[in-house]
Amino acid sequence: MTTIQIKDKKFSLSIPEAEILKAVREVGEAINRDLAHKNPLFICVLNGAFMFAGDLMKTVSVPCEITFIKLSSYDGLYTTGSVKEIIGLNESVVGRTVVVVEDIVDTGLTMERILDSLHAKGANEIRIATFLQKPDALQRDITVDYVAMKIPNDFIVGYGLDYDGYGRNLKDIYTVVPE
Ligand code: 5GP
């Protein structure tokens, strides 16, 4: 088993790159089928979704725009419960179909905050595309339209997701090894 060390934690390989890329391609193909004539605006939530968005957009072939927003709700291994404001959205979403591109939907609190904000800004239709979802952790009534992979309720790193700032560059997903 491949294990790596990041700071004080050990992580073991759980989803290899090839599996990730296949699942991401399938999401892109579904989006191509569903949003062909909707001129969607993709909103990539930084930092975690940068790698997912990069690979996803290579498959998406419908006319579209992509922009990037930032917010943070996570501190180390545990959610802080406080969700900050969206920053960096300069495009108007009024009347548009938007696709929020996220790294992971965990409790759903972050996504709920983003959805509220986009509704308030006048988006017509909002779809969610997430790389990962932890269905057992969901605490909010949120419909996730596109999920590349569902995973158990364990802390993971890689493919854009970090542990205290490290591990985002890993091309595979690793799961924390319990101490
Ligand atoms: P939620 O608000 O849904 O509880 O959390 C969403 C955010 O928490 C994600 O965008 C991500 O940044 C972070 N997060 C949730 N689970 C994990 C995890 O297992 N690993 C990492 N690195 N971040 C996570």
Side-chain angles (χ1 to χ4, degrees):
M1 189 203 292
T2 308
T3 59
I4 57 167
Q5 178 92 27
I6 302 179
K7 295 195 161 183
D8 58 333
K9 303 261 175 246
K10 281 194 169 48
F11 294 84
S12 63
L13 179 64
S14 56
I15 313 175
E17 182 186 24
E19 247 178 79
I20 293 171
L21 293 178
K22 181 169 176 284
V24 171
R25 255 196 313 274
E26 284 167 8
V27 170
E29 285 159 5
I31 288 173
N32 286 339
R33 285 194 295 274
D34 294 349
L35 302 183
H37 305 291
K38 299 225 170 185
N39 184 32
L41 172 65
F42 289 85
I43 300 179
C44 169
V45 184
L46 295 174
N47 295 328
F50 83 95
M51 217 178 259
F52 172 49
D55 285 331
L56 179 68
M57 299 314 292
K58 292 180 202 167
T59 298
V60 169
S61 56
V62 301
C64 64
E65 292 177 272
I66 180 160
T67 190
F68 302 86
I69 61 167
K70 209 161 178 178
L71 44 81
S72 86
S73 69
Y74 226 74
D75 185 15
L77 285 179
Y78 303 100
T79 188
T80 61
S82 69
V83 179
K84 293 180 190 161
E85 293 298 302
I86 289 182
I87 51 170
L89 184 62
N90 301 318
E91 293 77 3
S92 168
V93 296
V94 175
R96 289 200 72 168
T97 295
V98 302
V99 183
V100 181
V101 181
E102 249 295 27
D103 54 359
I104 182 165
V105 175
D106 184 13
T107 62
L109 267 157
T110 308
M111 191 52 78
E112 186 179 62
R113 172 75 192 78
I114 295 170
L115 294 179
D116 286 351
S117 174
L118 292 174
H119 278 302
K121 289 177 194 297
N124 174 43
E125 182 187 6
I126 305 172
R127 301 215 178 191
I128 300 170
T130 188
F131 168 49
L132 298 172
Q133 184 175 12
K134 292 178 178 171
D136 294 343
L138 195 63
Q139 294 174 13
R140 290 293 188 271
D141 186 16
I142 283 173
T143 306
V144 183
D145 304 274
Y146 308 102
V147 182
M149 309 186 110
K150 294 186 178 171
I151 59 166
N153 208 357
D154 301 314
F155 187 81
I156 54 94
V157 293
Y159 200 68
L161 291 110
D162 72 309
Y163 170 51
D164 270 356
Y166 287 83
R168 292 193 197 279
N169 54 314
L170 297 164
K171 61 184 172 18
D172 312 292
I173 290 287
Y174 292 77
T175 303
V176 72
V177 177
E179 279 152 28

